[in-house]
Amino acid sequence: VPAVHLSHSNSCVLTTTFLSGKALSGLTPSELKSLIPLGVQVFLWQLLKIGRFHADPHHANLFLTSEGKLGIIDFGLVATLSPSEMSALTDAAKHLFVRDWKALLADAKRLGFLDDDTPTEELEPIIEAVLTKAVLKP
């Protein structure tokens, strides 16, 4: 994250230190793979610990710095989570890791992804199939 230069910033302009590096789209597969653990750690920390997160993490806003670090720029879109949302996200992560699909769907209701009256019994096997294949890989 670049340093902010308040002496050159105002309510309309944010001036930061220039970070040089390579865009994610220009990285080799091994360079990308090396950034994944740190990227996951950084965004989980934002979501689960501080409750504020960079809400526009696309390939032009994330890059490999010349020092070999993950560079994150353009904090023009930042979102905030309430303590209850942070708690629900933490629970959802736990339920995903232990493959508790019923509880994960309850978390989706707590987070507002599903209406409270949405029946979830039929969704459980679908969620299990999709997440097991795409994320958890047995």
Side-chain angles (χ1 to χ4, degrees), residues 51-127:
R52 292 180 63 99
F53 62 97
H54 188 296
D56 193 20
H58 58 77
H59 66 88
N61 287 342
L62 303 169
F63 58 96
L64 179 63
T65 69
S66 53
E67 293 85 26
K69 297 179 180 179
L70 175 64
I72 305 173
I73 59 171
D74 187 3
F75 285 82
L77 185 57
V78 174
T80 303
L81 297 169
S82 69
S84 64
E85 290 168 325
M86 291 168 59
S87 174
L89 278 173
T90 301
D91 290 344
K94 287 188 275 188
H95 295 138
L96 174 64
F97 294 132
V98 299
R99 300 172 188 239
D100 185 343
W101 312 119
K102 185 175 186 169
L104 184 62
L105 287 164
D107 299 328
K109 289 181 179 184
R110 284 178 55 203
L111 289 162
F113 296 128
L114 297 172
D115 290 331
D116 287 339
D117 59 352
T118 301
T120 57
E121 295 78 21
E122 293 180 17
L123 291 175
E124 285 182 46
I126 297 167
I127 291 293

Side-chain angles (χ1 to χ4, degrees), residues 9-91:
S9 300
N10 60 39
S11 62
C12 296
V13 175
L14 178 66
T15 306
T16 64
T17 301
F18 181 78
L19 295 180
S20 62
K22 291 168 59 176
L24 292 186
S25 58
L27 297 181
T28 66
S30 64
E31 288 172 321
L32 273 174
K33 190 174 181 179
S34 74
L35 288 177
I36 291 171
L38 180 58
V40 169
Q41 182 180 5
V42 166
F43 281 93
L44 285 176
W45 178 75
Q46 291 176 46
L47 289 166
L48 305 178
K49 292 292 185 187
I50 64 171
R52 292 180 63 99
F53 62 97
H54 188 296
D56 193 20
H58 58 77
H59 66 88
N61 287 342
L62 303 169
F63 58 96
L64 179 63
T65 69
S66 53
E67 293 85 26
K69 297 179 180 179
L70 175 64
I72 305 173
I73 59 171
D74 187 3
F75 285 82
L77 185 57
V78 174
T80 303
L81 297 169
S82 69
S84 64
E85 290 168 325
M86 291 168 59
S87 174
L89 278 173
T90 301
D91 290 344

